[in-house]
Amino acid sequence: MLNELMRREPIFHRREFGITRRDFENMTDSNFWEVGASGCRYSREYILDTLEKRYENPTEEIWETKDFPCLEIAPENYLLTYTLIQGERMTRRSTIWRRSELSWKIVYHQGTVV
């Protein structure tokens, strides 16, 4: 379980899981929302719009992820946390994943600057 979810983080930055709006729609729960490292709340539609624009002109980013505890918080719902290092910026990330019949769905995501 842990290794399977670790491969999907950071969310929306793993090209093997998709780069189109349809891909991102399929990987997010219909009630998905996010709190960014800025502290702002973002809706699913806002995130999908942003990702669609980002992948029109993708850039290669080298990020490091580490420290991955995973906790089942309800049947088939998992809280995965980790540290993300983006150059000089370090954040703690939390993602709630739900196992669906066909794949994994992201329910919630949060980033907090350390």
Side-chain angles (χ1 to χ4, degrees):
M1 182 77 50
L2 175 61
N3 288 334
E4 192 174 342
L5 292 176
M6 282 174 52
R7 288 185 328 106
R8 295 175 174 274
E9 298 284 355
I11 60 172
F12 311 129
H13 296 277
R14 298 293 187 194
R15 297 180 72 79
E16 63 270 27
F17 294 109
I19 61 169
T20 67
R21 184 182 187 100
R22 168 76 94 200
D23 295 331
F24 298 129
E25 287 171 345
N26 289 336
M27 71 174 72
T28 55
D29 186 81
S30 61
N31 294 314
F32 169 83
W33 61 286
E34 174 177 324
V35 175
S38 65
C40 294
R41 179 184 169 135
Y42 299 105
S43 69
R44 181 177 189 245
E45 284 305 308
Y46 177 85
I47 295 295
L48 294 174
D49 291 345
T50 300
L51 291 169
E52 193 169 39
K53 290 176 189 158
R54 178 185 300 156
Y55 280 97
E56 287 175 2
N57 298 302
T59 59
E60 189 67 31
E61 299 172 298
I62 300 172
W63 295 350
E64 178 188 349
T65 56
K66 63 181 185 175
D67 306 327
F68 278 95
C70 184
L71 175 67
E72 186 172 13
I73 56 175
E76 302 301 328
N77 288 266
Y78 299 86
L79 172 63
L80 182 72
T81 60
Y82 61 98
T83 300
L84 176 63
I85 300 168
Q86 302 163 276
E88 297 296 315
R89 182 180 184 206
M90 182 184 301
T91 54
R92 289 291 300 157
R93 302 286 170 146
S94 301
T95 308
I96 296 177
W97 290 93
R98 178 175 296 139
R99 189 194 314 248
S100 73
E101 293 176 17
L102 301 175
S103 65
W104 288 97
K105 297 280 187 182
I106 306 162
V107 177
Y108 172 80
H109 182 73
Q110 181 169 346
T112 305
V113 176
V114 177

